[in-house]
Amino acid sequence: MALLEQWRASAYNEETGRDNLQRLWAAYFEEETNIYAQLLSNPDEVVKGTVKELAEKYGVSIMTMTGFLDGINDSLKEANPIEEMEEDTEVNLGFDKALLYKNMVAAEADWLYNLEQWNDIFDEETRKALYKEQKSSTTIVKEAKIYPNDPCPCGSGKKYKKCCGRNK
């Protein structure tokens, strides 16, 4: 079984019990935060290695590293082959900074997008703009409904029902 399948089988297994899953995720989020803190302290360095080497480098289990790689994959400049990944698979952590920040916002991972390391990467204004851009990209805006007595949007000055809204 590929590493990703193993990770998902344990991390999303309802039969494990709620308390066990909460403990697993709490531990994962803490380790994930530490990895991101290290990565963001030198954001232009592209970290490479096998899954096992990266797990050792960051002091986490193979399963935690697998979950981390699954989470960061959409933010990488060059995606890793996570579906068929094994311990000896070469992977990279070369991420797009803006995309990573926006993906953290999309995941509502405030403990990640509020890491102090972001202060050295983007100024506050840029972070706010990225945050707003991400939030507005998922907002559905309905077009304003035009009622019969509203002014016609074509600019004629007539009521909609007497202009473009007329049944012809």
Side-chain angles (χ1 to χ4, degrees), residues 17 32 57 70 78 81 92 107 161:
E32 175 190 45
K57 174 181 173 111
D70 185 23
E78 187 181 317
N92 83 85
K161 67 182 178 186

Side-chain angles (χ1 to χ4, degrees), residues 3 10 13 21-22 25 47 51 70-71 73 75 78 81 90 101 104 118-119 125 137 148 160:
L3 288 176
S10 66
N13 187 350
L21 279 179
Q22 283 181 331
W25 282 103
V47 178
V51 177
D70 185 23
N73 210 44
S75 304
E78 187 181 317
E90 281 283 331
Y101 189 84
M104 288 175 171
W118 283 113
N119 298 338
E125 195 174 303
S137 73
Y160 180 68

